[in-house]
mmCIF file of all heavy atoms in Angstrom:
data_model
loop_
_atom_site.group_PDB
_atom_site.id
_atom_site.type_symbol
_atom_site.label_atom_id
_atom_site.label_comp_id
_atom_site.label_asym_id
_atom_site.label_seq_id
_atom_site.Cartn_x
_atom_site.Cartn_y
_atom_site.Cartn_z
ATOM 1 N N ALA L 424 -75.387 -69.729 -34.609
ATOM 2 C CA ALA L 424 -75.134 -70.833 -33.717
ATOM 3 C C ALA L 424 -74.891 -70.323 -32.269
ATOM 4 O O ALA L 424 -74.058 -69.519 -31.963
ATOM 5 C CB ALA L 424 -73.748 -71.513 -34.117
ATOM 6 N N GLU L 425 -75.871 -70.895 -31.379
ATOM 7 C CA GLU L 425 -75.680 -70.633 -29.948
ATOM 8 C C GLU L 425 -74.943 -71.732 -29.249
ATOM 9 O O GLU L 425 -74.380 -71.518 -28.118
ATOM 10 C CB GLU L 425 -77.076 -70.412 -29.377
ATOM 11 C CG GLU L 425 -77.762 -69.210 -29.893
ATOM 12 C CD GLU L 425 -79.205 -69.074 -29.521
ATOM 13 O OE1 GLU L 425 -79.659 -69.867 -28.647
ATOM 14 O OE2 GLU L 425 -79.932 -68.150 -29.940
ATOM 15 N N VAL L 426 -74.886 -72.839 -29.932
ATOM 16 C CA VAL L 426 -74.191 -74.027 -29.432
ATOM 17 C C VAL L 426 -73.419 -74.584 -30.589
ATOM 18 O O VAL L 426 -74.116 -74.912 -31.562
ATOM 19 C CB VAL L 426 -75.019 -75.095 -28.731
ATOM 20 C CG1 VAL L 426 -74.267 -76.353 -28.309
ATOM 21 C CG2 VAL L 426 -75.876 -74.494 -27.610
ATOM 22 N N ALA L 427 -72.130 -74.920 -30.392
ATOM 23 C CA ALA L 427 -71.401 -75.594 -31.407
ATOM 24 C C ALA L 427 -70.767 -76.936 -30.815
ATOM 25 O O ALA L 427 -70.246 -76.824 -29.617
ATOM 26 C CB ALA L 427 -70.252 -74.810 -32.001
ATOM 27 N N VAL L 428 -70.849 -77.999 -31.456
ATOM 28 C CA VAL L 428 -70.357 -79.298 -30.898
ATOM 29 C C VAL L 428 -69.418 -80.105 -31.913
ATOM 30 O O VAL L 428 -69.856 -80.068 -33.021
ATOM 31 C CB VAL L 428 -71.402 -80.193 -30.422
ATOM 32 C CG1 VAL L 428 -70.938 -81.485 -29.803
ATOM 33 C CG2 VAL L 428 -72.443 -79.483 -29.537
ATOM 34 N N VAL L 429 -68.311 -80.537 -31.469
ATOM 35 C CA VAL L 429 -67.495 -81.400 -32.391
ATOM 36 C C VAL L 429 -67.286 -82.624 -31.589
ATOM 37 O O VAL L 429 -67.017 -82.740 -30.439
ATOM 38 C CB VAL L 429 -66.154 -80.769 -32.659
ATOM 39 C CG1 VAL L 429 -65.271 -81.799 -33.365
ATOM 40 C CG2 VAL L 429 -66.306 -79.652 -33.576
ATOM 41 N N LEU L 430 -67.679 -83.778 -32.278
ATOM 42 C CA LEU L 430 -67.442 -85.087 -31.755
ATOM 43 C C LEU L 430 -66.351 -85.765 -32.519
ATOM 44 O O LEU L 430 -66.413 -85.889 -33.795
ATOM 45 C CB LEU L 430 -68.736 -85.993 -31.859
ATOM 46 C CG LEU L 430 -69.944 -85.450 -31.126
ATOM 47 C CD1 LEU L 430 -70.890 -84.765 -31.999
ATOM 48 C CD2 LEU L 430 -70.597 -86.600 -30.281
ATOM 49 N N ARG L 431 -65.230 -86.209 -31.867
ATOM 50 C CA ARG L 431 -64.164 -86.718 -32.506
ATOM 51 C C ARG L 431 -63.802 -88.070 -32.002
ATOM 52 O O ARG L 431 -63.518 -88.200 -30.802
ATOM 53 C CB ARG L 431 -62.949 -85.680 -32.320
ATOM 54 C CG ARG L 431 -61.552 -86.266 -32.734
ATOM 55 C CD ARG L 431 -60.623 -85.238 -32.955
ATOM 56 N NE ARG L 431 -60.282 -84.414 -31.836
ATOM 57 C CZ ARG L 431 -59.090 -84.551 -31.205
ATOM 58 N NH1 ARG L 431 -58.228 -85.381 -31.477
ATOM 59 N NH2 ARG L 431 -58.798 -83.735 -30.105
ATOM 60 N N GLN L 432 -63.705 -89.020 -32.854
ATOM 61 C CA GLN L 432 -63.306 -90.478 -32.433
ATOM 62 C C GLN L 432 -61.758 -90.337 -32.381
ATOM 63 O O GLN L 432 -61.061 -90.117 -33.227
ATOM 64 C CB GLN L 432 -63.695 -91.348 -33.500
ATOM 65 C CG GLN L 432 -63.665 -92.792 -33.136
ATOM 66 C CD GLN L 432 -64.204 -93.685 -34.168
ATOM 67 O OE1 GLN L 432 -64.225 -93.436 -35.439
ATOM 68 N NE2 GLN L 432 -64.714 -94.842 -33.873
ATOM 69 N N LEU L 433 -61.343 -90.734 -31.067
ATOM 70 C CA LEU L 433 -59.923 -90.653 -30.765
ATOM 71 C C LEU L 433 -59.036 -91.848 -31.220
ATOM 72 O O LEU L 433 -57.828 -91.626 -31.567
ATOM 73 C CB LEU L 433 -59.643 -90.480 -29.320
ATOM 74 C CG LEU L 433 -60.274 -89.163 -28.693
ATOM 75 C CD1 LEU L 433 -60.170 -89.197 -27.152
ATOM 76 C CD2 LEU L 433 -59.666 -87.974 -29.179
ATOM 77 N N GLU L 434 -59.601 -92.966 -31.351
ATOM 78 C CA GLU L 434 -58.951 -94.177 -31.857
ATOM 79 C C GLU L 434 -59.882 -95.015 -32.692
ATOM 80 O O GLU L 434 -61.080 -94.750 -32.586
ATOM 81 C CB GLU L 434 -58.401 -95.050 -30.653
ATOM 82 C CG GLU L 434 -57.356 -94.394 -29.830
ATOM 83 C CD GLU L 434 -57.342 -95.037 -28.419
ATOM 84 O OE1 GLU L 434 -57.604 -96.239 -28.223
ATOM 85 O OE2 GLU L 434 -57.075 -94.171 -27.475
ATOM 86 N N PRO L 435 -59.332 -96.018 -33.483
ATOM 87 C CA PRO L 435 -60.304 -96.837 -34.251
ATOM 88 C C PRO L 435 -61.116 -97.485 -33.214
ATOM 89 O O PRO L 435 -60.711 -98.133 -32.300
ATOM 90 C CB PRO L 435 -59.346 -97.885 -34.937
ATOM 91 C CG PRO L 435 -57.922 -97.356 -34.759
ATOM 92 C CD PRO L 435 -57.903 -96.344 -33.675
#
Side-chain angles (χ1 to χ4, degrees):
E425 294 174 8
V426 178
V428 185
V429 171
L430 299 102
R431 167 158 67 103
Q432 195 174 26
L433 296 174
E434 290 157 36

